[in-house]
Amino acid sequence: MVFFDYQVLENTVNFIYKNTLDPEQACKSLLIMLEKKNLNILKSIYIVGCVGINHLRYLEILERKYKERNEKINIEIPEEIKERRKSINASRLSLMIDDGDENDSKIIKFNDNFVMENKSEEEIADFFFYLKEKDILYNPDGLLYEYSKKIIEYTNIKELEEVAIISLYKLMCISSEFFTEYKHFISKGFKSDNYKIRSNCIISIGDFLLLYNSMVDEINILFEGLIDTNKIVRKNALLVIYNLLKRNILRLGNKSIYLSNLIFDEDEEIKLISRNIIYNMSENDNFIVTLVYEKFVKEINNSDLDFFLPLLKEKSREMIFLKLIKTSQNKDMLKVMYNKFNMSEKFINDIKHMEEFKILGVC
């Protein structure tokens, strides 16, 4: 396999979109040139994904520019597309638009073929969503129509599989229909023996959750990534989970045990990252209560107590203790918790009549 630098290819495509008036035509020429000259096929495959992501951002910026100019687009958009846009476009914008880019004005070419009439901002949004949803990948004249089909074929060739799946994940960010059609590649990618594919699968799930949210069923893969045999996969899973937690897109529930188990991990970097995530999220009462309860209901030891205790507010300690006396079988550790948690006298008086508390024999 011929070595090539991913970053050089990304920088090339980024440069085209930032410094040319018509990046679509420039990218078409680039892709045709690579194909005709029969250069390294891996480069061609990877560039397709880079073009897809950059063109998506380009259309988002173009849409914003049209709205700022108060110009209207004359086109009929199917109702199905309008409804789909309303349900998922808000999360897509949060990921793809970088507000305040001073280079925006350099990369926009307003096409004279667009007919402007008295249409609303909603209709402008529908038009650009239609381009992303149906034109780029599904229109025979679309920018990546032919190339997307080849990418799918290349995923079945061992020598090309890694780069093809990475590019496919990028194309799946463009259109929810394309995502739905090929979402089975998420689980397929995570089952791969190639850690680079598994790692990119984890990162892509984070993007898909931001873009499509309820359409993504493979959330458990993120937590399985925390126990992967490869450190890079585990590290990426941690960072993706943290990003989603900060955005209130992900809830841990009983999966929190995967995160809390890493605070004493053998790998120092993994241990440090997991602890920092917990420290940074500990101000969220629901997060820390869920995390500690799910950890302690399965296993309680002095090391865990010493780590988590400083992160718990009084009310959180009381809530966790109340839940644990009803569910935990480790009565000895519950006694230790009782002594260490320093709970209020009022709380103790409120629960001392409970049979589960009386069994502890601490009062």
Side-chain angles (χ1 to χ4, degrees):
M1 182 179 293
V2 180
F3 171 79
F4 69 94
D5 190 339
Y6 288 98
Q7 195 60 52
V8 170
L9 299 180
E10 288 185 15
N11 290 343
T12 300
V13 177
N14 290 344
F15 180 85
I16 290 173
Y17 275 89
K18 285 189 176 182
N19 295 279
T20 60
L21 291 176
D22 191 351
E24 180 170 351
Q25 188 56 49
C27 286
K28 280 183 179 179
S29 299
L30 174 62
L31 291 167
I32 292 172
M33 182 269 292
L34 288 172
E35 196 169 32
K36 283 185 176 180
K37 290 192 174 183
N38 198 26
L39 298 177
N40 186 343
I41 191 172
L42 291 174
K43 292 183 179 180
S44 300
I45 296 171
Y46 191 74
I47 280 181
V48 169
C50 294
V51 169
I53 287 295
N54 274 274
H55 203 69
L56 180 55
R57 294 181 182 133
Y58 171 74
L59 290 178
E60 300 286 5
I61 296 169
L62 191 61
E63 176 185 342
R64 189 174 63 197
K65 291 294 181 181
Y66 271 116
K67 289 178 179 178
E68 289 173 356
R69 286 161 55 118
N70 292 318
E71 293 180 338
K72 315 300 179 184
I73 296 174
N74 181 28
I75 190 168
E76 291 297 323
I77 305 297
E79 289 299 321
E80 173 194 356
I81 297 296
K82 294 179 182 179
E83 292 304 315
R84 194 180 304 168
R85 179 190 67 80
K86 290 176 182 177
S87 67
I88 69 175
N89 202 42
S91 57
R92 168 171 283 172
L93 287 172
S94 71
L95 178 69
M96 290 299 174
I97 288 185
D98 182 13
D99 289 325
D101 188 343
E102 61 182 9
N103 292 317
D104 283 0
S105 60
K106 297 180 182 178
I107 67 172
I108 299 301
K109 178 182 179 181
F110 290 97
N111 192 330
D112 293 335
N113 292 328
F114 285 135
V115 179
M116 302 299 179
E117 291 187 354
N118 293 325
K119 301 290 183 179
S120 67
E121 283 198 3
E122 282 287 302
E123 289 167 305
I124 293 176
D126 288 338
F127 170 75
F128 281 100
F129 184 76
Y130 182 82
L131 291 181
K132 292 173 281 189
E133 193 73 5
K134 286 290 191 179
D135 185 72
I136 300 174
L137 299 170
Y138 286 104
N139 181 353
D141 296 322
L143 176 60
L144 298 176
Y145 175 77
E146 291 294 339
Y147 300 101
S148 64
K149 293 181 177 298
K150 292 178 181 179
I151 293 292
I152 303 302
E153 295 174 6
Y154 293 151
T155 61
N156 296 313
I157 301 174
K158 191 64 177 177
E159 294 78 8
L160 307 177
E161 178 189 33
E162 176 187 318
V163 181
I165 289 181
I166 291 172
S167 280
L168 176 62
Y169 288 153
K170 292 181 179 181
L171 297 185
M172 288 165 65
C173 290
I174 298 174
S175 161
S176 66
E177 185 169 332
F178 192 82
F179 167 79
T180 302
E181 187 173 355
Y182 295 106
K183 65 185 297 187
H184 59 277
F185 275 92
I186 299 176
S187 55
K188 179 181 178 180
F190 192 70
K191 292 175 183 176
S192 172
D193 294 333
N194 185 330
Y195 79 89
K196 293 180 182 178
I197 294 178
R198 298 199 306 276
S199 185
N200 275 276
C201 175
I202 292 288
I203 294 170
S204 297
I205 291 174
D207 291 340
F208 298 150
L209 281 167
L210 290 170
L211 291 167
Y212 309 123
N213 209 329
S214 60
M215 296 172 64
V216 184
D217 304 319
E218 295 79 6
I219 297 177
N220 284 345
I221 289 178
L222 290 178
F223 299 102
E224 292 174 26
L226 295 178
I227 56 174
D228 195 89
T229 55
N230 182 272
K231 176 181 174 179
I232 294 176
V233 177
R234 298 172 72 205
K235 181 178 177 180
N236 281 332
L238 274 171
L239 297 176
V240 169
I241 287 171
Y242 177 54
N243 181 45
L244 295 172
L245 286 171
K246 292 290 285 185
R247 292 170 177 257
N248 292 318
I249 290 175
L250 185 66
R251 298 289 183 271
L252 292 181
N254 59 9
K255 300 296 182 182
S256 63
I257 190 70
Y258 287 91
L259 175 59
S260 58
N261 280 345
L262 297 180
I263 62 174
F264 295 108
D265 195 82
E266 294 179 356
D267 186 282
E268 283 298 320
E269 186 178 16
I270 295 295
K271 179 170 72 174
L272 180 62
I273 294 173
S274 62
R275 289 186 174 208
N276 282 335
I277 290 174
I278 293 172
Y279 291 147
N280 290 331
M281 292 296 300
S282 62
E283 287 300 312
N284 183 321
D285 291 337
N286 288 333
F287 168 85
I288 197 66
V289 168
T290 299
L291 186 79
V292 175
Y293 170 74
E294 292 295 339
K295 175 67 174 175
F296 286 2
V297 79
K298 293 179 173 63
E299 176 187 17
I300 311 175
N301 58 55
N302 281 307
S303 297
D304 291 330
L305 278 173
D306 292 340
F307 174 80
F308 285 112
L309 188 57
L311 304 178
L312 297 172
K313 300 173 184 176
E314 182 179 278
K315 288 295 182 183
S316 297
R317 295 196 299 269
E318 293 172 353
M319 188 181 304
I320 292 167
F321 185 78
L322 180 60
K323 293 174 70 174
L324 284 173
I325 62 173
K326 297 177 181 179
T327 55
S328 177
Q329 302 300 314
N330 192 338
K331 303 305 180 185
D332 290 335
M333 283 308 302
L334 285 173
K335 292 178 182 179
V336 175
M337 288 177 63
Y338 172 81
N339 292 322
K340 287 190 173 185
F341 267 26
N342 192 28
M343 294 169 285
S344 69
E345 184 177 345
K346 179 181 183 304
F347 174 75
I348 299 300
N349 287 333
D350 288 342
I351 67 169
K352 64 182 181 181
H353 67 282
M354 296 173 58
E355 289 300 322
E356 297 92 340
F357 182 75
K358 292 178 181 178
I359 293 174
L360 296 180
V362 292
C363 284

